[in-house]
Amino acid sequence: MENLKLAIQKSGRLSEKSLELIAGCDIKLTQGTRKLIAVSSDFPLEVLYLRDDDIPQYVADGVADIGIVGENEVMEKEKNVAIVKRLGFAKCRLSLAIPKNENYHGIRWFDNKRIATSYPRILQKFLNQNNIQAKIEEISGSVEIAPGIGLSESIFDIVSSGSTLISNRLKEVETVCSSEAVIISTLGLSAIRQKLLDQLLFRIDTVQHSKGNKYILLNAPNDKLESIIEILPGMKSPTVMPLYQKGWSSVHSVVNEKEFWVIIDKLKECGAEGILVIPIEKMIL
Ligand code: PRT
Ligand code: ZN
């Protein structure tokens, strides 16, 4: 039996969410005898724990068939892999930042400046596109301290909340690209592994669809049914069933978290009663 080999980050910002995603697909992992690999007994999947920087290379070489990694690493490493799914977590951006007190007048500020970064390829591309002559200082970590220790005048790094920049007296002046966790795949997967990947992606889709959606049940007087149904989006159309009490119905539907409270308020105004809200585990569309 062939296994699909999935590389995930061993420990870091992507690890927990990657494992959560696998568990959400009802795939249980049992630690193998070798500590860097785990296997599943209920889906033909083998998980390799690696450093995130190495994942694009391992996937390009076919050591792993697929990998979960930040898009930033995919862009930087420029390996021959395909992005097959965007996962919506570990969202961040890659930005240029300069000391807070500098007077920033536009992109030409970077001419003849030194920029410290762990992402030299993405940065060089951006500089070329904008015709900027700057010196890239490649460092592997703690990029934000580079201006403070005199290594560079500016930095190009990952920004999420922006608090690292603030605490290092830096300000973000140009956003070059955004990133999120993605699934990458090796090119030319065997037919068997492609089928396994499709099955896995289908499971991920059902988990992603159910996220943020709630199942809602309510009682409504029949004369208000039409206005209540108009408020409810539903997957196709709400389910309506008669209640034992004459003149009343039970209405079932699916509501997204984003519009949840607005809809609840409108439903109450329209006369809905006994509203129940239930989490949805899986949604197969
Ligand atoms: O050990 P290994 O090489 O596997 O891990 P790593 O230390 O290289 O990576 P890790 O775990 O820090 O990040 C993994 C991935 O998470 C990155 O490649 C990004 O795709 C994504 N990600 C999302 C982030 C952040 N948000 C993030 N905020 N990666 C890093 N940061 C750092 C950033 O470098 C900076 O130091 O957080 C700081 C900025 O955060 P704010 O919130 O202060 O702006
Ligand atoms: Zn890394």
Side-chain angles (χ1 to χ4, degrees):
M1 182 78 177
E2 248 182 84
N3 279 339
L4 185 69
K5 291 189 178 133
L6 163 69
I8 64 170
Q9 190 186 25
K10 190 171 193 301
S11 95
R13 284 187 163 84
L14 302 170
S15 316
E16 202 182 311
K17 284 273 168 84
S18 303
L19 288 170
E20 246 173 48
L21 187 77
I22 297 167
C25 292
D26 293 330
I27 298 173
K28 285 176 214 73
L29 295 175
T30 45
Q31 198 74 41
T33 43
R34 289 167 293 169
K35 274 206 176 123
L36 292 175
I37 297 178
V39 286
S40 169
S41 51
D42 43 25
F43 190 89
L45 186 78
E46 207 170 298
V47 175
L48 284 72
Y49 299 102
L50 301 170
R51 282 201 57 193
D52 69 341
D53 315 52
D54 297 333
I55 292 176
Q57 176 80 57
Y58 276 83
V59 172
D61 292 348
V63 176
D65 301 309
I66 56 172
I68 298 178
V69 70
E71 217 177 341
N72 49 307
E73 288 299 335
V74 184
M75 288 187 272
E76 178 61 27
K77 298 296 186 301
E78 292 180 334
K79 300 291 176 199
N80 235 355
V81 295
I83 292 181
V84 293
K85 181 111 206 121
R86 313 185 75 79
L87 296 171
F89 62 83
K91 285 190 174 170
C92 56
R93 52 195 189 273
L94 280 156
S95 294
L96 283 158
I98 66 172
K100 197 176 112 194
N101 298 329
E102 281 287 328
N103 179 19
Y104 187 70
H105 46 75
I107 191 92
R108 297 246 70 92
W109 184 93
F110 289 95
D111 265 329
N112 305 313
K113 296 285 199 309
R114 292 169 301 168
I115 312 171
T117 189
S118 310
Y119 298 93
R121 283 208 186 93
I122 300 174
L123 177 57
Q124 190 60 64
K125 251 191 198 162
F126 178 78
L127 295 175
N128 292 348
Q129 279 161 7
N130 288 281
N131 228 353
I132 305 284
Q133 301 292 327
K135 184 163 190 293
I136 298 177
E137 302 286 353
E138 185 177 346
I139 51 175
S140 58
S142 302
V143 171
E144 64 280 356
I145 64 166
I149 59 170
L151 181 69
S152 67
E153 285 77 38
S154 56
I155 67 163
F156 174 64
D157 199 13
I158 291 176
V159 181
S160 173
S161 67
S163 62
T164 303
L165 294 183
I166 292 171
S167 54
N168 286 279
R169 303 179 61 74
L170 297 168
K171 62 179 175 189
E172 188 177 0
V173 290
E174 300 284 343
T175 301
V176 172
C177 54
S178 54
S179 169
E180 65 183 279
V182 293
I183 299 187
I184 52 171
S185 162
T186 193
L187 304 181
L189 269 183
S190 73
I192 294 176
R193 290 183 195 207
Q194 184 62 50
K195 197 169 168 207
L196 292 175
L197 173 58
D198 291 343
Q199 285 170 357
L200 182 68
L201 293 177
F202 174 73
R203 290 195 190 191
I204 293 171
D205 276 346
T206 67
V207 176
Q208 284 186 335
H209 287 140
S210 66
K211 245 185 211 144
N213 280 316
K214 304 271 183 215
Y215 194 75
I216 180 169
L217 298 100
L218 57 91
N219 295 332
N222 286 348
D223 58 342
K224 300 279 172 55
L225 269 180
E226 244 168 68
S227 48
I228 284 178
I229 285 167
E230 234 168 72
I231 299 165
L232 291 169
M235 284 170 74
K236 228 180 202 136
S237 130
T239 307
V240 179
M241 285 180 288
L243 285 188
Y244 182 69
Q245 187 179 339
K246 278 221 162 64
W248 282 76
S249 296
S250 167
V251 181
H252 301 199
S253 189
V254 174
V255 173
N256 195 274
E257 246 167 20
K258 280 185 204 144
E259 44 191 10
F260 183 74
W261 289 110
V262 179
I263 288 181
I264 294 287
D265 285 342
K266 284 191 194 161
L267 287 172
K268 274 170 46 200
E269 271 169 35
C270 277
E273 287 179 15
I275 303 173
L276 292 181
V277 179
I278 300 167
I280 298 174
E281 199 183 297
K282 305 269 182 326
M283 239 169 104
I284 298 159
L285 298 179

